[in-house]
Amino acid sequence: MATIGTPVRRREDFRFLTGGGTYTDDINRPGQLYAYILRSQHAHARIGGIDTAPAQRSSGVVAVYTGQDMTADGVGGLPCGWQIHSKDGSPMAEPPHPVLAVDRVRYVGDPVAVVIADTLALARDAAELVNVNYAEEPAAIDPVAALQPGAPQVNSEASGNLCYDWQLGDLAAVESAFAKATRIVRLDLANNRLVPNAMEPRAAIGEFNRATGEYTLYTTSQNPHVIRLLMGAFVLHIPEARLRVVAPDVGGGFGSKIYHYPEEAIVTWAAGKVHRPVKWTAERSESFISDAHGRDHVTHVELALDAQGKFLALKVSTVANLGAYLSTFAPAIPTYLYGTLLAGTYTTPAIYCETKAVFTNTVPIDAYRGAGRPEATFVLERIVDLAADEIGMDPAELRRRNFIPKDAYPYQTPVALQYDSGDYAATLELALKAADYQGFESRRREAMGRGKLRGIGIATYIEACGIAPSAVVGSLGARAGLYESAEVRVHPTGSVSVLTGTHSHGQGHETTFSQLVADTFGIPIDNVEIVHGDTDKIPYGMGTYGSRSIAVGGTAIVKAMDKVIAKGRKIAAHLLEAAEADVEFKDGKFTVAGTDRSRTLGEVALTAYVPHNYPIDELEPGLDETAFYDPKNFTFPSGAYIAEVEIDLETGQVAVVNFTASDDFGRIINPLIVAGQVHGGLAQGIGQALLEGCVYDKASGQLLTGSYNDYAMPRADDLPTFALSTNTTLCTHNPLGVKGCGEAGAIGAPAAITNALVDALKPLGVRHLDMPATSEKLWRTIQQHRAPIAAE
Amino acid sequence: MQKTVSLTVNGKPVSATVEGRTLLVQLLREQLGLTGTHVGCDTSQCGACVVHVDGEAVKACTLLAVQADGHSVLTIEGVATGDTLHPMQEAFRNNHALQCGFCTPGMVMSALDLVKNNPNPTEREIREYLEGNLCRCTGYHNIVLAIAEGAAVMRGEPAPNVYGTAAE
């Protein structure tokens, strides 16, 4: 009966495999109109005026709206959900973010007007007739250049384009440790800008019911309640009770579908104006210039070591690009989801991190799978590998010398986090063995005989997920709580509906959560239904991101089930004429301890809803409980990844020949689903390391990688078969012992791959490579480093 | 310019009036209500819209609806027999070869095309064949396993069942 820990096949698959999924663009409402959004072609320009009259007269057009129309109607700007303070205590610069640009456009893709027509084709035809009078201005594109004096100003509210200048850690302790160090290793590196590229483009349908005054928004969201709150309270001023947000089947998110986007407000507001449903669906080229991008850091890092290779201190200075406006959670990413992770798996006693966040005339940047943690891991694992090289120590040995020992928990890092459990040395040994690390040098020699430079690279990672204790994040600037909710509704005949505030957009919650409920209640999985994604059905919850669903949402389900069982014991005690204290719940039955007298959960449920023989004076009827769970701490999944690559000496073509991932996710509910999460994260991490790079033209601000012709998505033949294993230590502060697994692969893989590439190129004297290490970049690197050798 | 087209979709004759610029995928999704065929890009690269036209795998975004006039189209909705999944669909389920499900219909249609032309593909052949289908969730690992398993079952061999059996 215990399904937990076994590879239960997914319950959602039948509908997806037969074309029966319901994604937002699959929904069509009666009388529906179509919106086409006109976007800025310029990176930075003043809007002198917009002539919509010819478009208004175009065939099939119902309405054309501009930013002025929305402002005149009292529509507010898009809010930011996190406030960071600078070193000097001042709050971050927070420029307004209009839904449609009003007097200025700030990036290629900034929405300028919306055309609403009977068909999408007619809306698009009419949009060509909208005449926007642009006066182009110089654009700030490169984040480091944008901070220089005299750089074009993106927002007048952010002087010098600086949003904030933040710090974390004890600078004096770090400086003092550096003064005593035997060796200091320094590195400048960049973390490349990425486009999330969930396969389902974003879409939204707004609807207004004149009879009831109620609005409905169907949207591709990871967190429908968050959208309802932000759009209702801050943008459109619609009370929650009259606004329903539905996020049906959603085709991947990876962070990009967390945020409240302009198009959601546009279709909802417009539906209220034209009194017909309004649908918008992004084209992929539109996704590239309107979905929040990820990463984009430029960093200088220094590591101080003693003579034995112990890390004494770490100093990190980062410039983080935010794009043109603050996206919903953008300020938190290069700060509290980044600097706090710089201890990694190591005992480094002193750490200092400073981050300058900068506005540029590019698409807004926010969390993308891993969000801050991949950037921190890349910085740390690159400098550790470089240190190993400089002191001539095996990179595995240098890591072993610095791991937090397994008996040191709870472990307080110098950058605010308290790790609850882990065993990094054992996880690394597991990976080293699986990867045959010892046998590598013979494989390197063998490859050289074939004209291939073979390299091996290790990266360990720690992530803080299970986001997050509300009071803690509140003190760090979050403008929201980060608990999760669940309602467990036992129906009269014993089937169960679970209404969760989390959202599944590929994670398989309908299966994993059903396993939890089935095992706890001792009922078949088929008797459990998981409901998510509709604010009219589910309790207020924060949604899915930050690998939080099982650790926070799963715990909320456990808490609600605990309440059901507690009430059920009272009912069973009454039916069995026993003392409540003598009734225990096991294998789906309430039993009087030491007897065979019992009632099933179904019998107790029926009694609760047909309370003829019932302790009605003491107990309400019904068996339906809600719980909100606010986590006590973050969870700390960790792992050790080993990549093995081969680079063709003549062409620069690279192949990932082996990839070994050993992870500690705490208790695993469904190993099949967990493996899938790791595979997907690894693919995105390897994509970042080898293929994906978002490129803007630095003069014009045009996005040069604006389609799948130009942005290299990982394909099946770019990737290896992955070798996975797990080493489990349980989370100590949630009842399931779970840690979360959604982001791990994307966090650990970029550093493992880059370390392997640098190891492969070490014979040529290569010290570092920035991502993506495309074949072209590798070929050029090989040519540059071979030339001096050839000349000798 | 409007034109009436008649074609066979999943074994049933259908007619529809379309514009000259209407794509096959728009006809399927918007006029015939067959929303299992998805649109993931606008450059004919993602493969979420793969269907079979007269038995050949085609990206339904690269064909005008009028070009399908008189032809036979198979979409993901026509692959299973009632509630019984096709062995390739079953292999996708058994190997967790789908997560968000958005690329899945195109993946299954491509997989069927591969196996039709190459009943016993190697891992490398499967990976190379999937050049035209993007997936952002799975890292392709389980899709490759699924296609190998689907092909094996279609050849009459037992399913390798790499992930073992769950407790019930």
Side-chain angles (χ1 to χ4, degrees):
Chain A
M1 202 63 173
T3 70
I4 288 179
T6 73
V8 175
R9 278 18 178 214
R10 296 203 322 171
R11 309 177 70 201
E12 39 278 87
D13 286 359
F14 184 87
R15 71 175 186 273
F16 292 139
L17 282 164
T18 54
T22 305
Y23 301 88
T24 301
D25 189 58
D26 300 342
I27 296 169
N28 293 293
R29 303 296 300 159
Q32 169 181 293
L33 299 169
Y34 294 82
Y36 180 84
I37 292 170
L38 185 70
R39 297 175 184 279
S40 172
Q41 310 134 330
H42 303 294
H44 196 191
R46 265 187 308 107
I47 298 176
I50 304 176
D51 180 11
T52 61
Q56 305 257 18
R57 291 192 296 269
S58 184
S59 169
V61 170
V62 174
V64 182
Y65 297 114
T66 66
Q68 285 199 336
D69 296 324
M70 295 191 82
T71 306
D73 202 43
V75 172
L78 299 169
C80 180
W82 204 298
Q83 185 180 50
I84 296 294
H85 286 79
S86 288
K87 290 170 183 170
D88 63 5
S90 61
M92 69 184 188
E94 200 168 351
H97 185 179
V99 172
L100 286 171
V102 179
D103 53 3
R104 192 174 280 273
V105 287
R106 293 185 171 86
Y107 64 94
V108 173
D110 208 351
V112 173
V114 57
V115 180
I116 295 162
D118 289 330
T119 71
L120 179 58
L122 291 172
R124 189 182 302 154
D125 291 346
E128 291 186 17
L129 304 175
V130 175
N131 186 12
V132 185
N133 177 9
Y134 289 114
E136 274 193 79
E137 296 200 354
I141 304 301
D142 179 82
V144 174
L147 285 172
Q148 301 307 310
Q153 182 78 21
V154 179
N155 291 288
S156 56
E157 292 79 4
S159 174
N161 295 319
L162 185 71
C163 178
Y164 54 75
D165 181 6
W166 171 88
Q167 66 178 351
L168 180 71
D170 186 341
L171 181 58
V174 167
E175 298 292 10
S176 147
F178 269 75
K180 284 181 252 163
T182 310
R183 185 180 283 266
I184 295 169
V185 185
R186 298 180 175 86
L187 181 63
D188 288 291
L189 53 79
N191 200 285
N192 45 328
R193 182 178 182 125
L194 302 175
V195 182
N197 274 307
M199 290 316 300
E200 178 204 25
R202 286 191 298 114
I205 307 169
E207 194 169 358
F208 176 64
N209 184 332
R210 284 179 82 182
T212 62
E214 289 171 333
Y215 288 85
T216 301
L217 169 68
Y218 299 89
T219 183
T220 48
S221 176
Q222 301 176 215
N223 31 235
H225 267 295
V226 173
I227 302 305
R228 188 179 75 165
L229 176 67
L230 295 178
M231 187 175 80
F234 297 95
V235 185
L236 299 184
H237 312 299
I238 304 168
E240 285 101 322
R242 284 200 283 119
L243 176 58
R244 175 186 177 200
V245 177
V246 183
D249 287 327
V250 173
F254 316 114
S256 70
K257 291 170 181 169
I258 297 171
Y259 324 115
H260 178 34
Y261 283 101
E263 297 84 2
E264 295 170 321
I266 291 168
V267 297
T268 309
W269 176 79
K273 293 290 150 203
V274 301
H275 291 166
R276 286 169 69 181
V278 177
K279 179 178 192 172
W280 167 81
T281 303
E283 296 174 21
R284 178 57 61 183
S285 51
E286 201 176 3
S287 305
F288 272 97
I289 53 168
S290 71
D291 291 0
H293 294 177
R295 318 281 194 257
D296 208 354
H297 286 195
V298 178
T299 294
H300 177 76
V301 54
E302 299 186 2
L303 178 67
L305 300 94
D306 72 10
Q308 285 73 47
K310 286 286 279 184
F311 305 156
L312 299 176
L314 180 75
K315 192 160 62 173
V316 175
S317 180
T318 291
V319 172
N321 194 351
L322 295 175
Y325 301 100
L326 290 177
S327 177
T328 310
F329 290 115
I333 312 308
T335 51
Y336 291 109
L337 289 178
Y338 170 67
T340 52
L341 276 300
L342 287 168
T345 52
Y346 309 116
T347 54
T348 318
I351 298 173
Y352 177 77
C353 175
E354 58 182 354
T355 299
K356 286 187 171 68
V358 55
F359 290 107
T360 59
N361 291 110
T362 63
V363 171
I365 289 182
D366 207 323
Y368 165 64
R369 199 170 196 167
R373 292 151 290 182
E375 295 92 315
T377 302
F378 190 70
V379 168
L380 192 54
E381 293 300 300
R382 280 296 303 130
I383 196 74
V384 167
D385 243 45
L386 194 61
D389 185 47
E390 291 196 3
I391 65 176
M393 189 183 290
D394 180 292
E397 177 56 24
L398 181 60
R399 286 178 169 87
R400 277 188 206 106
R401 289 192 184 189
N402 286 282
F403 279 145
I404 297 163
K406 67 176 178 183
D407 57 3
Y409 300 96
Y411 180 82
Q412 180 63 50
T413 76
V415 275
L417 298 175
Q418 191 184 79
Y419 302 164
D420 65 328
S421 66
D423 186 356
Y424 312 132
T427 307
L428 177 62
E429 293 314 314
L430 187 66
L432 291 171
K433 193 150 179 261
D436 184 24
Y437 186 74
Q438 288 301 329
F440 174 73
E441 288 305 327
S442 69
R443 296 198 292 280
R444 192 201 297 269
R445 283 192 299 275
E446 184 276 331
M448 188 54 94
R450 290 183 282 113
K452 310 278 190 191
L453 294 166
R454 190 160 173 139
I456 194 163
I458 300 171
T460 69
Y461 74 88
I462 183 106
E463 63 169 315
C465 55
I467 291 173
S470 294
V472 173
V473 295
S475 73
L476 303 179
R479 291 164 167 166
L482 283 167
Y483 48 81
E484 198 43 85
S485 65
E487 180 182 341
V488 173
R489 193 180 287 170
V490 185
H491 298 292
T493 62
S495 68
V496 178
S497 293
V498 176
L499 296 82
T500 171
T502 64
H503 186 276
S504 188
H505 30 279
Q507 295 88 342
H509 293 174
E510 289 166 48
T511 305
T512 303
F513 289 170
S514 294
Q515 287 180 253
L516 273 187
V517 176
D519 279 19
T520 305
F521 283 164
I523 57 177
I525 284 178
D526 283 348
N527 285 13
V528 183
E529 209 56 45
I530 306 297
V531 180
H532 66 93
D534 183 344
T535 59
D536 265 13
K537 295 179 180 169
I538 59 171
Y540 186 86
M542 300 307 292
T544 286
Y545 39 81
S547 306
R548 69 191 303 272
S549 294
I550 192 69
V552 192
T555 302
I557 293 172
V558 169
K559 299 276 178 193
M561 289 194 294
D562 287 347
K563 291 186 186 180
V564 165
I565 291 167
K567 184 170 181 181
R569 284 176 64 211
K570 290 189 169 71
I571 300 169
H574 176 86
L575 292 175
L576 294 163
E577 296 178 342
E580 187 190 330
D582 294 337
V583 175
E584 56 188 28
F585 182 72
K586 212 179 143 200
D587 300 333
K589 282 183 194 158
F590 295 93
T591 305
V592 181
T595 76
D596 59 359
R597 296 167 55 224
S598 66
R599 290 289 185 273
T600 65
L601 179 69
E603 289 170 323
V604 165
L606 188 63
T607 305
Y609 289 99
V610 188
H612 294 165
N613 173 19
Y614 196 82
I616 201 78
D617 293 337
E618 297 142 38
L619 214 53
E620 295 171 12
L623 199 54
D624 182 346
E625 299 287 348
T626 297
F628 284 72
Y629 174 69
D630 201 88
K632 297 180 183 72
N633 191 358
F634 296 86
T635 59
F636 298 98
S638 60
Y641 291 175
I642 300 177
E644 210 166 315
V645 301
E646 283 187 0
I647 305 166
D648 188 294
L649 198 52
E650 299 307 320
T651 67
Q653 195 176 29
V654 61
V656 181
V657 286
N658 289 314
F659 201 102
T660 307
S662 297
D663 294 287
D664 178 357
F665 297 133
R667 176 165 287 121
I668 289 171
I669 309 295
N670 186 321
L672 186 63
I673 286 175
V674 168
Q677 289 294 307
V678 177
H679 295 156
L682 292 176
Q684 289 177 1
I686 294 171
Q688 170 167 26
L690 295 179
L691 299 163
E692 298 179 46
C694 179
V695 181
Y696 276 93
D697 181 82
K698 289 211 163 54
S700 67
Q702 294 296 324
L703 179 63
L704 301 181
T705 50
S707 81
Y708 290 149
N709 285 321
D710 307 299
Y711 187 92
M713 290 276 280
R715 291 166 195 266
D717 59 358
D718 295 317
L719 296 169
T721 291
F722 304 112
L724 308 189
S725 53
T726 52
N727 174 45
T728 299
T729 65
L730 296 180
C731 174
T732 61
H733 57 80
N734 64 48
L736 294 167
V738 292
K739 297 185 178 182
C741 65
E743 298 163 289
I747 293 172
I753 292 282
T754 303
N755 287 345
L757 293 170
V758 173
D759 181 59
L761 296 171
K762 213 171 277 172
L764 301 182
V766 174
R767 184 172 179 267
H768 177 67
L769 275 170
D770 270 325
M771 303 185 288
T774 60
S775 293
E776 183 204 348
K777 188 184 284 180
L778 291 168
W779 180 82
R780 287 184 191 283
T781 303
I782 292 167
Q783 297 309 308
Q784 281 160 8
H785 286 80
R786 273 173 117 184
I789 298 169
E792 279 167 15
Chain B
M1 187 200 71
Q2 305 233 309
K3 186 180 186 305
T4 300
V5 293
S6 299
L7 58 161
T8 304
V9 178
N10 299 333
K12 296 194 192 92
V14 295
S15 292
T17 302
V18 298
E19 285 190 65
R21 60 181 167 184
T22 304
L23 301 171
L24 175 59
V25 68
Q26 293 172 316
L27 168 65
L28 293 170
R29 287 182 55 79
E30 292 160 24
Q31 291 181 252
L32 303 179
L34 294 169
T35 55
T37 302
H38 296 150
V39 179
C41 76
D42 47 11
T43 50
S44 293
Q45 281 164 319
C46 79
C49 68
V50 172
V51 298
H52 294 181
V53 176
D54 299 335
E56 297 287 324
V58 171
K59 288 179 174 171
C61 70
T62 61
L63 211 62
L64 295 167
V66 292
Q67 291 176 289
D69 191 20
H71 294 274
S72 176
V73 176
L74 178 70
T75 73
I76 190 68
E77 287 91 346
V79 173
T81 307
D83 285 344
T84 305
L85 294 178
H86 183 282
M88 186 59 77
Q89 291 170 310
E90 188 57 45
F92 268 62
R93 198 184 72 86
N94 197 40
N95 289 280
H96 186 29
L98 60 151
Q99 291 182 29
C100 81
F102 197 80
C103 77
T104 307
M107 284 286 177
V108 171
M109 299 312 285
S110 284
L112 290 172
D113 188 66
L114 165 64
V115 175
K116 192 181 92 177
N117 295 303
N118 180 0
N120 193 0
T122 64
E123 181 194 332
R124 181 55 28 198
E125 286 170 338
I126 294 171
R127 287 185 181 275
E128 282 172 4
Y129 183 84
L130 291 181
E131 270 280 320
N133 290 79
L134 293 177
C135 170
R136 193 57 153 169
C137 293
T138 64
Y140 305 98
H141 181 114
N142 286 344
I143 293 175
V144 174
L145 287 179
I147 294 175
E149 179 172 305
V153 174
M154 288 166 72
R155 293 193 304 272
E157 296 168 18
N161 197 22
V162 170
Y163 286 104
T165 305
E168 303 238 341

